[in-house]
């Protein structure tokens, strides 16, 4: 539990806000609590449980007993309303709910029949309890009595915000004593403390200007804002030298962190050094079979770990890779292979071949069929063919030595792709036609892998069990 206090001045200002909106202080707190949860990603339909005394009948005034019932108050925060607008929504919803507060909560659950789970409450996961009936006192002759909190040691809800309104001797606002109880299965104490601090910050902000939209209310402290904008978002990095090629970038990372994890598939992982060695062996195998600059290698592989090694190997050999999804219809695959005329087609059988006889060191231009230049094509991709015959696009790797407008330093400038109708000549365009029927557009394909589901296409004897 995280205790905190609303000071008397803020209490007074919140009371004034409630009066100007013909609402209660409870409604102001509920609106603020819902806005806080929405800003933390809880959605825009916020159901909050709240206990009510259950003594609407005057006949119960002189009876001793527990008549408390629980209401579920739904708060609609959609559309980024101002806090004043949200307070009006809360007022209307609460008044409608109070009209039915005598309906037993158990009967409501029985009628709605929500999906039940032992891990959560059936209708709400956050509770708001607000006590404004004054502090009860017990005066007995010769005894001094005071109320002490008794904890049960178990959180009944994900979050439970309890508040007790205090009054000074003349009845003026004297502050609010509050506590935020949290489930330790879901929240760390530091997180709960941050929520309490942000709720106080939000209450101060709406007391100052209730016509601010809830999306613009400041929740972060100066230190938190600095951490998000400066600490976590620091993206400055040394830029590679102009003309640096993708294989060289990867090899530089291998030199910096050879033992760091570079690839994870299922329960197995491979370091940068291991991936680099596999790619180097495969690249030499590809060069020996005619792969090199200005040539295409088709990758007819499933989305597995071997696919990433093959991509890197093709780039190390200097060739351009053509991804061929094995789930494509055979007719489309045949069209792509016939149109692109690749020098090689890699399948799982080739990737699984024993390449231990090839050196594992990095390739040099002397081993390639021709020196690798930055403008050489890096990949070829075909359109979906939804408007006719699938068409190939070919682009070099991004220029990692420059940054596009709006991107952090060190981010690659995406290669510019011009349509075939452009008058720019092929010799001056950074994108090169892969066949006489080529047209141009920005490629969007990027291989992905779902760990635990990718098929195995590592060489036999490896430890991969994806």
């Amino acid at each position: 539990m995280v205790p905190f206090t609303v000071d008397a001045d803020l209490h007074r200002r919140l009371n004034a806000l409630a009066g100007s909106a013909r609402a209660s202080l409870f409604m102001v707190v509920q609106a603020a609590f819902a806005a806080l949860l929405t800003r933390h990603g809880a959605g825009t339909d916020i159901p909050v449980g709240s206990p009510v005394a259950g003594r609407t009948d005057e006949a119960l005034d002189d009876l001793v007993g527990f008549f408390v019932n629980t209401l579920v108050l739904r708060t609609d925060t959609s559309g980024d309303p101002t806090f004043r607008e949200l307070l009006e929504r809360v007022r209307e919803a609460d008044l409608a709910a109070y009209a039915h507060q005598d309906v037993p909560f158990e009967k409501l659950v029985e009628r709605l029949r929500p999906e039940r789970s032992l891990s959560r409450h059936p209708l709400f996961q956050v509770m708001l309890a607000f006590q404004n009936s004054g502090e009860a006192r017990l005066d007995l002759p010769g005894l001094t009595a005071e109320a002490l909190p008794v904890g049960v040691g178990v959180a009944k809800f994900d979050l439970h915000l309890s508040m007790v309104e205090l009054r000074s001797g003349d009845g003026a606002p004297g502050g609010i004593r509050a506590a935020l109880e949290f489930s330790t299965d879901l929240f760390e104490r530091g997180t709960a403390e941050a929520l309490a601090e942000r709720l106080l910050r939000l209450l101060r902000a709406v007391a100052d200007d209730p016509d601010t939209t809830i999306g613009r209310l400041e929740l972060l402290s100066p230190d938190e804002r600095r951490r998000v904008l400066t600490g976590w978002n620091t993206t400055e990095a040394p830029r590679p030298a102009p003309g640096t090629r993708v294989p060289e970038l990867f090899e530089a990372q291998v030199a910096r962190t050879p033992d760091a994890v570079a690839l994870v598939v299922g329960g197995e992982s491979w370091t940068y050094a291991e991936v680099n060695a596999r790619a180097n062996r495969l690249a030499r195998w590809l060069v020996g079979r005619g792969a090199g600059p200005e040539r295409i290698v088709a990758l007819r592989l499933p989305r597995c770990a071997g696919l990433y090694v093959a991509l890197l190997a093709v780039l190390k050999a200097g060739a351009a890779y053509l991804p061929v999804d094995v789930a494509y219809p055979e007719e489309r695959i045949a069209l792509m292979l016939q149109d692109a005329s690749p020098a090689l087609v890699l399948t799982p059988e080739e990737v699984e071949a024993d390449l231990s006889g090839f050196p594992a060191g990095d390739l040099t231009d002397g081993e390639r069929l021709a020196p690798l230049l930055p403008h050489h094509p890096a990949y070829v991709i075909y359109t979906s063919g939804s408007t006719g015959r699938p068409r190939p696009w070919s682009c070099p790797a991004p220029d990692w030595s420059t940054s596009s407008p709006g991107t952090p330093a060190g981010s690659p400038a995406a290669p510019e792709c011009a349509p075939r109708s452009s008058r720019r000549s092929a010799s001056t365009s950074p994108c090169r036609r892969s066949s006489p029927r080529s047209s141009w557009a920005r490629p969007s394909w990027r291989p992905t892998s779902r760990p635990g589901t990718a098929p195995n296409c590592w060489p036999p004897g490896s430890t991969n069990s994806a």
Side-chain angles (χ1 to χ4, degrees):
M1 181 179 293
V2 177
F4 61 100
T5 302
V6 176
D7 61 58
D9 178 65
L10 179 56
H11 184 188
R12 177 186 54 78
R13 292 194 291 147
L14 293 175
N15 259 345
L17 172 59
S20 68
R22 298 179 303 145
S24 66
L25 182 58
F26 168 80
M27 294 175 183
V28 172
V29 173
Q30 179 194 339
F33 194 31
L36 178 75
L37 295 175
T38 291
R39 289 287 302 276
H40 281 80
T44 57
D45 182 8
I46 310 294
V48 177
S50 183
V52 291
R55 291 178 175 269
T56 55
D57 191 337
E58 293 182 358
L60 301 177
D61 289 350
D62 297 328
L63 291 180
V64 176
F66 188 77
F67 299 97
V68 172
N69 192 21
T70 302
L71 286 182
V72 182
L73 307 174
R74 297 180 68 176
T75 307
D76 175 16
T77 62
S78 63
D80 194 22
T82 66
F83 187 80
R84 195 183 298 277
E85 292 169 343
L86 177 60
L87 184 55
E88 177 61 28
R89 295 181 190 180
V90 168
R91 178 180 179 276
E92 293 178 1
D94 285 6
L95 292 177
Y98 292 148
H100 304 283
Q101 61 179 295
D102 292 330
V103 177
F105 182 77
E106 294 76 10
K107 186 173 290 292
L108 179 65
V109 174
E110 181 182 340
R111 286 290 301 271
L112 294 178
R113 293 185 177 181
E115 182 180 347
R116 305 302 293 265
S117 170
L118 295 177
S119 64
R120 65 178 185 273
H121 197 275
L123 296 181
F124 59 88
Q125 283 77 52
V126 293
M127 170 73 86
L128 172 59
F130 193 88
Q131 177 64 261
N132 60 354
S133 58
E135 195 168 358
R137 295 185 178 277
L138 179 63
D139 292 325
L140 295 174
L143 295 175
T144 300
E146 63 175 312
L148 296 176
V150 178
V152 295
V154 177
K156 296 181 180 180
F157 309 98
D158 295 354
L159 292 172
H160 182 181
L161 176 62
S162 58
M163 290 188 159
V164 178
E165 187 178 18
L166 305 177
R167 294 283 176 177
S168 61
D170 60 357
I176 301 174
R177 187 172 63 243
L180 181 63
E181 185 180 271
F182 59 95
S183 170
T184 55
D185 289 339
L186 301 175
F187 301 97
E188 296 179 350
R189 183 173 185 82
T191 303
E193 290 173 346
L195 286 173
E197 292 171 1
R198 290 167 190 164
L199 177 59
L200 283 174
R201 203 169 289 121
L202 189 150
L203 288 172
R204 295 188 191 102
V206 301
D208 290 338
D209 186 4
D211 294 313
T212 303
T213 61
I214 62 174
R216 295 183 64 85
L217 293 171
E218 183 57 70
L219 299 184
L220 301 180
S221 67
D223 286 343
E224 288 175 323
R225 175 168 288 279
R226 192 179 308 110
R227 188 183 313 129
V228 171
L229 296 180
T230 305
W232 293 345
N233 202 38
T234 298
T235 55
E236 293 183 0
R239 294 182 180 180
T244 302
R245 301 166 297 186
V246 172
E248 294 171 338
L249 291 172
F250 188 86
E251 290 157 7
Q253 184 63 42
V254 173
R256 287 191 296 268
T257 58
D259 298 323
V261 174
L263 184 62
V264 177
V265 176
E268 301 293 334
S269 61
W270 291 269
T271 66
Y272 276 95
E274 291 170 338
V275 172
N276 193 51
R278 293 174 186 270
N280 285 333
R281 291 190 178 100
L282 182 56
R284 287 186 169 89
W285 184 89
L286 293 171
V287 171
R289 281 154 183 77
E294 302 286 354
R295 299 188 182 184
I296 297 172
V297 175
L299 305 181
R300 191 172 182 176
L301 297 168
R303 293 184 178 183
C304 63
L307 172 62
Y308 298 101
V309 173
L311 290 172
L312 182 57
V314 172
L315 294 175
K316 282 174 171 284
Y321 62 81
L322 168 66
V324 179
D325 193 331
V326 294
Y328 283 160
E330 286 297 325
E331 180 182 358
R332 176 180 171 87
I333 293 176
L335 184 148
M336 291 168 59
L337 296 179
Q338 179 182 5
D339 185 73
S341 299
L344 288 168
V345 178
L346 274 182
T347 65
E349 287 72 23
E350 285 79 23
V351 175
E352 291 172 2
D354 182 7
L355 304 177
S356 58
F358 290 88
D362 295 330
L363 273 74
T364 64
D365 278 340
E367 296 177 89
R368 299 183 178 99
L369 299 184
L372 177 58
L373 302 178
H375 68 268
H376 282 150
Y379 57 90
V380 176
I381 188 169
Y382 277 73
T383 64
S384 65
S386 58
T387 59
R389 180 186 178 91
R391 297 175 296 178
W393 308 337
S394 172
C395 277
D399 183 357
W400 293 84
S401 65
T402 61
S403 297
S404 298
T407 62
S411 298
E416 179 186 357
C417 297
R420 188 183 179 189
S421 58
S422 171
R423 296 185 180 182
R424 180 186 298 156
S425 67
S427 60
T428 60
S429 171
C431 295
R432 304 169 62 84
R433 284 194 289 266
S434 61
S435 77
R437 294 183 292 274
S438 297
S439 63
W440 307 96
R442 188 179 299 279
S444 60
W445 181 88
R446 183 178 67 178
T448 58
S449 173
R450 291 171 291 179
T453 61
N456 179 21
C457 55
W458 281 113
S462 70
T463 58
N464 178 39
S465 59

